[in-house]
Amino acid sequence: MSKIEEICAEIEQFKVESAEKLENFRLQFLSKKSELQSLLSEIKNVPPEERKTFGQKVNELKQKAQQYYDEYKAKLEESEPVVASNNDLTRPAEMLELGAAHPISVVMNEVCEIFESIGFTRATGPEIEDDWHLFTALNFAPDHPARDMQDTFFVNQQPDIALRTHTSSIQVRVMENQKPPIRVICPGRVFRNEAITSRAHCMFHQIEGLYIAENVSFAEMKQTLMFFAKKMFGEDTKIRLRPSYFPFTEPSAEMDVSCNICGGKGCTLCKGSGWVEILGCGMVDPNVLDNCGIDSKKYSGYAFGLGIERMTQVKYKTNDIRLFFENDLRFLQQFTGM
Ligand code: DAH
């Protein structure tokens, strides 16, 4: 009985301030090898008339130990931090940085949407093209310089396969697969073997336009392109067509818009002329129509090709084409929210 009192006092005095101490408590009073357990095995040495009280006392003590243990454990768990790190969960959340469309994509979509508003539909084609779609069907002479390795990135020779040098290859594919009337706008990436400078790059973007129907006139083309220029650069924009040459159009022209950086007074973008060239155009050469299976006696049409980088430079007044491909966020972030 005195042993019971002793253990009871030990339990009451035991200080549990850590997980380690808690475990010691358990070993000392609750485990199979604990003093309490060994007391129970003493029961046979207790006189029979006292056994009942003895058993009761030991059991009460066991319960007391268990109760202390549970309380200590709960207290310890309460005081332990939930997340074992020094993250401050009350700190304000960091703002998510929203991405935005690249300026080239923005302008590409803008151009397409203007033409879509007057009935053109989008068409695309492969970036790796064969000689037929790039040059031959488009009436390029066999010795045309574009067929030279110095201008074109060839992937294979004989048969000639190259990275497309212009999106005009898409108009061939469309004409081969559709019957007139045809009215398409074809955006895409093109590649040329050129030294990279502020004004030129080996990779850039173009949009090709094509309209084929009966009795299409040069005047119609001019009006369509003027409508486009005013929508794109503002109602005050003027256009001018200069005679030019492309193998796939006859007659051919280059179109300038009045420079919206200097308002026509002359600056570095327009090289002092007040005009910026933005596209090539012309009436589709009858040879091209015939090459693509369209009757050139019945149908005529116009085509145009414009450079997106140049267009973006005019619209957003940037002066170095390389900026578009360097992915410098300081540059790109100026276009977010557009
Ligand atoms: N394919 C020409 C180029 O890359 C651009 C072009 C000019 C396309 C006149 C046309 C066009 O459709 O009629 O320089």
Side-chain angles (χ1 to χ4, degrees):
M1 282 300 190
S2 65
K3 187 74 185 159
I4 291 178
E5 309 265 283
E6 215 175 278
I7 297 176
C8 183
E10 274 177 45
I11 289 176
E12 280 166 1
Q13 278 157 24
F14 202 102
K15 294 235 168 351
V16 173
E17 320 93 343
S18 65
E20 204 183 348
K21 285 269 171 65
L22 184 70
E23 177 62 3
N24 289 343
F25 183 94
R26 190 187 66 81
L27 288 173
Q28 196 171 332
F29 305 113
L30 292 167
S31 71
K32 289 221 168 64
K33 288 179 188 151
S34 67
E35 292 173 63
L36 262 171
Q37 204 61 32
S38 46
L39 261 189
L40 268 182
S41 50
E42 298 273 314
I43 202 157
K44 54 185 184 299
N45 305 324
V46 176
E49 65 279 8
E50 284 175 26
R51 272 186 199 164
K52 196 174 163 205
T53 352
F54 179 82
Q56 260 173 5
K57 289 259 178 218
V58 176
N59 273 332
E60 271 169 30
L61 197 56
K62 261 182 91 176
Q63 273 166 19
K64 185 181 180 123
Q66 186 66 48
Q67 194 187 333
Y68 269 61
Y69 178 82
D70 290 344
E71 277 170 19
Y72 283 137
K73 193 172 173 212
K75 231 189 227 162
L76 272 181
E77 277 172 359
E78 215 171 80
S79 59
E80 261 172 33
V82 182
V83 180
S85 78
N86 45 14
N87 281 347
D88 176 3
L89 298 181
T90 63
R91 209 172 65 187
E94 272 170 34
M95 290 292 286
L96 276 183
E97 271 194 51
L98 278 188
H102 190 280
I104 296 295
S105 306
V106 171
V107 172
M108 203 127 118
N109 281 328
E110 216 173 330
V111 174
C112 288
E113 278 161 21
I114 292 172
F115 283 102
E116 279 164 348
S117 76
I118 49 172
F120 285 74
T121 52
R122 268 183 233 209
T124 54
E127 288 181 353
I128 296 177
E129 266 294 9
D130 53 27
D131 174 272
W132 170 257
H133 293 94
L134 272 179
F135 305 124
T136 303
L138 288 165
N139 205 33
F140 277 75
D143 56 353
H144 192 283
R147 294 174 184 255
D148 195 322
M149 300 255 283
Q150 280 181 349
D151 296 286
T152 301
F153 290 117
F154 282 91
V155 175
N156 189 53
Q157 288 207 284
Q158 287 173 342
D160 288 350
I161 310 283
L163 298 184
R164 72 176 169 207
T165 50
H166 54 181
T167 44
S168 301
S169 53
I170 306 175
Q171 57 159 283
V172 176
R173 289 186 175 272
V174 171
M175 284 192 278
E176 283 173 338
N177 292 302
Q178 289 179 32
K179 299 226 167 320
I182 293 171
R183 215 187 269 143
V184 287
I185 192 87
C186 321
R189 187 159 54 159
V190 301
F191 307 86
R192 284 188 202 169
N193 196 352
E194 291 211 45
I196 297 172
T197 67
S198 65
R199 295 176 61 86
H201 210 284
C202 61
M203 178 196 83
F204 53 101
H205 299 78
Q206 286 186 331
I207 292 189
E208 184 81 10
L210 178 71
Y211 177 44
I212 308 284
E214 285 180 50
N215 304 315
V216 179
S217 70
F218 193 92
E220 250 174 285
M221 176 184 82
K222 195 173 169 183
Q223 284 302 311
T224 306
L225 293 177
M226 189 160 80
F227 167 82
F228 161 71
K230 285 179 183 292
K231 282 270 180 238
M232 190 72 194
F233 300 109
E235 277 304 310
D236 300 336
T237 309
K238 293 186 181 59
I239 64 164
R240 73 174 185 188
L241 293 179
R242 287 176 289 105
S244 186
Y245 172 78
F246 299 103
F248 35 89
T249 44
E250 183 59 35
S252 306
E254 273 164 328
M255 186 177 104
D256 300 340
V257 290
S258 47
C259 180
N260 77 338
I261 292 190
C262 60
K265 287 193 208 77
C267 66
T268 46
L269 184 78
C270 62
K271 291 197 235 145
S273 70
W275 295 95
V276 189
E277 183 199 323
I278 61 158
L279 59 81
C281 58
M283 303 306 289
V284 179
D285 193 299
N287 288 344
V288 176
L289 294 176
D290 291 334
N291 284 340
C292 300
I294 288 177
D295 184 357
S296 62
K297 297 206 173 53
K298 187 165 176 205
Y299 295 106
S300 56
Y302 61 78
F304 52 88
L306 48 86
I308 297 296
E309 280 74 7
R310 171 59 66 87
M311 196 86 71
T312 310
Q313 281 180 304
V314 179
K315 187 143 176 125
Y316 295 107
K317 306 180 171 51
T318 61
N319 57 7
D320 193 327
I321 192 173
R322 292 169 292 197
L323 288 167
F324 293 124
F325 308 116
E326 282 166 357
N327 283 336
D328 185 334
L329 287 180
R330 288 168 303 176
F331 174 72
L332 295 177
Q333 275 167 350
Q334 297 178 64
F335 299 88
T336 54
M338 276 188 346

